Amino acid sequence: MQNLLPEPPATLLPADQAADQALADAEAAGTTDALKAVAAAYPAFSGAWGALAAGSLEAGEPVTAYAYARTGYHRGLDALRRNGWKGHGPIPWSHEPNQGFLRCLYALSKAAAEIGEADEAARCAQFLRDSDPAAADALA
């Protein structure tokens, strides 16, 4: 059976040059405190939360990673909705401002798996693949 309804348009989050620069500077500094400062200064910026989550996963701290990723995920959902997303449809990895949200979604899936929350891990992994298979491939 063929779906005759068109797929919704891709959602493209707006760039935040100040937050992007702050994150680049924090990543160059290489400290968790620098990343935390970016998250505090730009709490709606999923990129900072995703970087904190990734660092926590690398450090073997899945509960902390889960908390950071969950925060970035929800802030990203808010941004997506403000930009026309209706709960489904593509969120392209190729559009750099979308990458913070998608990184949070990936980290949330990984952290959930590590703490034994298999249903949440599977749901987030599927949401990531549904958003853009390229994101799932790039982050795996």
Side-chain angles (χ1 to χ4, degrees):
M1 179 194 266
Q2 179 183 359
N3 183 355
L4 299 177
L5 296 174
E7 185 172 296
T11 302
L12 305 176
L13 293 174
D16 184 335
Q17 293 179 353
D20 287 337
Q21 185 60 56
L23 180 58
D25 293 345
E27 288 176 332
T31 68
T32 301
D33 285 342
L35 292 172
K36 287 179 181 179
V38 177
Y42 302 96
F45 179 56
S46 292
W49 297 110
L52 285 164
S56 295
L57 284 169
E58 289 174 17
E61 300 173 355
V63 172
T64 303
Y66 186 94
Y68 286 140
R70 173 76 56 196
T71 300
Y73 165 79
H74 281 288
R75 297 310 299 257
L77 286 177
D78 292 343
L80 287 166
R81 289 182 185 117
R82 278 193 309 273
N83 286 278
W85 189 71
K86 304 289 187 217
H88 64 284
I91 305 167
W93 171 256
S94 61
H95 182 67
E96 220 170 294
N98 290 352
Q99 290 181 7
F101 169 76
L102 296 167
R103 287 180 192 282
C104 286
L105 189 52
Y106 173 77
L108 185 56
S109 176
K110 298 301 282 182
E114 287 189 29
I115 64 172
E117 196 175 1
D119 288 347
E120 178 74 350
R123 183 187 70 76
C124 290
Q126 187 61 54
F127 185 8
L128 181 63
R129 187 147 296 282
D130 291 346
S131 296
D132 187 348
D137 293 343
L139 293 166

